[in-house]
Amino acid sequence: MLDLVWLIPALPLAGFLLILLTGRRLGDPRAGYLATTMCAGAFVVTAGVFLKLMSLPAEERHHVRRLFSWMPVGSLHIDLSFLADPLSITMCLFVTGIGTLIHLYAVGYMHGDARYSKFFLYLNLFALSMLLLVLGENLVVTFLGWEGVGACSYFLISFWHERESAATAGKKAFVTNRVGDWGFIVAMFFAFQATGTLSYRGLAEAAPHLAPATAAAIAGFAFVGACGKSAQLPLYLWLPDAMEGPTPVSALIHAATMVTAGVFLMTRMSPVLHAAAHFGLFGGHVSVSTVVAVVGAVTALFAATVAVAQNDIKKVLAYSTVSQLGYMFLAVGSGAYVAAIFHMVTHAFFKALLFLGAGSVIHGMHHEQDMRKMGALRLLMPVTAGTFIVGWLAIAGVPPFAGFWSKDEILLFAWDKSPVLYVIGLVTALLTAYYMTRQVIMVFFGEARWHDAHAEHGAHGDAHRPHESPWIMVGPLVALAGLSIVGGFIQLPFSASVKRLEHWLAPVVEGSEHRLRGNVDDLKYVFMAIAVVVAVAGIVAAYLVYAKRRVEPVEPAILANGWYYDQAVSDFMGGPGREAFEGVAWADANVLDGAVRGSGAVVRAGAGELRKVQTGNMRTYAAAVGAGVVALLAWFVLRGVL
């Protein structure tokens, strides 16, 4: 069964090729069902590989399937090989499983779109790229998938490119990710120079023998790549605009695929990150891991403050994704790799649910996304409302929903790393419960404000009332709601026997995983109680502000505009940055190219003058030879006399 791991990416590839060749003839909805079937097939194969790995002893859960030699260049030997181990198969399970639900949802959501088959062609290509990324046995195969998801994000975010905002968002995602890709490439250069291999197993074996400075360089540049793909400061700014694409794209990018790639890469590179622990940056006092944890914590808090003032239903969730990814990097920087993957899995459940629920609302509201024009939708969209509320409770950290368990574990490790990081994480949890409660109240409770919104657009009558989505859209919501309820049970804190995910991932991260100090582990129930109190406090505060109107909402413009960071970057790139790039282009054209062209002009002019002595007249050449002979004879005679 393990040798069939190549089928996992092959099935989405087959779907991509079939839709490419026959998509127009298949049309709506057959192209969508074909793409969904291929993704579902990949999930079935992944489940089979998972069961086979589970049947093996922990030390044998590492299988490489080599397809062919890809780059045999000197000492560089890169095979197109797939690695089936607990980490890669965990990623494949939720990429294909949740991806299948998103594909099925999109069959209904994209109904009637003029480029219906092309959309599903891109979705299958996206799934293929992400599966290559996580299954790659070496950094180069991972980078192939890494670039693939980057290209697909551009295709899908700007899918409705007739809208200028969508076209701009696609370009922003593409360009921003190129910065991160530079970091990934430099990390590969350092890794190969230091170890002579780009295989993950080879890097893991060589990591303990690396000089701490070299390990820090590899891990640091890999983190630059991770910041680009997983939207951390300062490269987060592409992700909130990614919601310009169709809602299934938002769910796929924000929950199940692209943004998880950075966390996956840092977890896969955990032996190198662990080896870099003894190298200090900024005067020798700060390790790379500390930088990762601080960037994650600050990003989580930053994005949460922005989310509290957003009015677009999808933009709230977009900033929420940036914040939750910050939690994952806080875990990675704290040495809690299992907690990072745990939160990645639970986040995939509830964030996919929330985005698809938002899409159902948008569909029922006739493409309205402003929450100020909604309200009381629970009465007209009961299934969407019920499932969205489950997602809200999960992300807010209310037990026993999935998000509570994973977030609480990250906060526990954050305290062990630094009380300051713990406090930042706790404040972020408070804000998360607050802004998600705000969203639920504005959309599903309170007064119905959609009457006025429809009147503005000239819509009247029952035909234009908000309505529940069809079964093909609400079915995936129900499935994801179930996962958001029980998903946390894969890693419970009560005893070693119920830490199933930790046992499963042990062969991959055991040597790098941080062990909690005894006094911290003994206080885990205290920290758990604090987390519950904080979540309830955030919910109650939002209830008093937005439901009871006891306090006037505080939504300053600086938060609504994302602390003006995006605007500052845009102003710089459109002003001084553009002028600087134009200056570089001028220097390239006139100085560098001018020097090359000038050298050629000098040589050509000299050759032109020399060419004049080449007359082609034999008598002239003979006279020149004779004159030369006479000159030589005269020189010898004079030399003898003198």
Side-chain angles (χ1 to χ4, degrees), residues 231-263:
Q232 298 296 283
L233 285 169
L235 301 177
Y236 86 92
L237 44 79
W238 69 270
L239 190 56
D241 286 351
M243 60 104 188
E244 288 289 344
T247 298
V249 174
S250 302
L252 199 61
I253 291 177
H254 288 249
T257 57
M258 184 171 172
V259 296
T260 62
V263 181

Side-chain angles (χ1 to χ4, degrees), residues 40 109 164 272 301 330 345 347 411-412 428 483 571:
Y109 189 89
E164 184 178 354
V272 178
L301 180 59
L330 173 58
V345 173
H347 178 262
L411 290 174
L412 191 63
T428 302
L483 291 171
D571 290 344

Side-chain angles (χ1 to χ4, degrees), residues 176-437:
T176 306
N177 273 276
R178 298 293 73 72
V179 179
D181 295 350
W182 166 81
F184 194 129
I185 292 170
V186 174
M188 286 197 289
F189 290 163
F190 274 111
F192 182 71
Q193 190 276 334
T195 66
T197 182
L198 293 174
S199 165
Y200 289 122
R201 169 160 279 190
L203 288 172
E205 293 173 351
H209 310 292
L210 289 173
T214 302
I218 297 170
F221 280 106
F223 180 56
V224 173
C227 283
K229 201 65 74 182
S230 293
Q232 298 296 283
L233 285 169
L235 301 177
Y236 86 92
L237 44 79
W238 69 270
L239 190 56
D241 286 351
M243 60 104 188
E244 288 289 344
T247 298
V249 174
S250 302
L252 199 61
I253 291 177
H254 288 249
T257 57
M258 184 171 172
V259 296
T260 62
V263 181
F264 164 80
L265 177 66
M266 297 307 293
T267 303
R268 182 63 86 187
M269 299 287 284
S270 59
V272 178
L273 195 59
H274 184 69
H278 300 295
F279 181 78
L281 304 169
F282 311 114
H285 302 293
V286 180
S287 68
V288 175
S289 293
T290 301
V291 172
V292 174
V294 170
V295 170
V298 172
T299 301
L301 180 59
F302 170 86
T305 62
V306 177
V308 301
Q310 301 303 307
N311 291 311
D312 187 301
I313 188 172
K314 287 173 65 177
K315 214 154 195 176
V316 174
L317 300 177
Y319 279 106
S320 171
T321 298
V322 176
S323 183
Q324 297 304 306
L325 289 167
Y327 267 114
M328 297 176 209
F329 280 102
L330 173 58
V332 168
S334 302
Y337 299 102
V338 173
I341 299 301
F342 183 26
H343 197 56
M344 183 193 298
V345 173
T346 60
H347 178 262
F349 297 155
F350 60 70
K351 187 51 62 68
L353 169 60
L354 291 169
F355 261 111
L356 296 185
S360 181
V361 170
I362 294 167
H363 180 268
M365 284 286 297
H366 307 284
H367 305 290
E368 179 60 67
Q369 296 186 200
D370 192 335
M371 297 189 299
R372 293 169 296 185
K373 300 177 181 179
M374 298 179 186
L377 291 181
R378 73 188 187 283
L379 302 175
L380 301 174
M381 307 178 69
V383 179
T384 298
T387 54
F388 197 96
I389 287 170
V390 170
W392 157 56
L393 294 172
I395 193 174
V398 175
F401 297 91
F404 167 76
W405 306 107
S406 55
K407 192 181 295 185
D408 183 69
E409 187 164 346
I410 291 173
L411 290 174
L412 191 63
F413 277 89
W415 173 267
D416 204 34
K417 177 77 173 178
S418 165
V420 175
L421 294 176
Y422 170 78
V423 171
I424 293 174
L426 204 60
V427 173
T428 302
L430 176 70
L431 292 174
T432 302
Y434 177 85
Y435 67 70
M436 288 305 303
T437 305

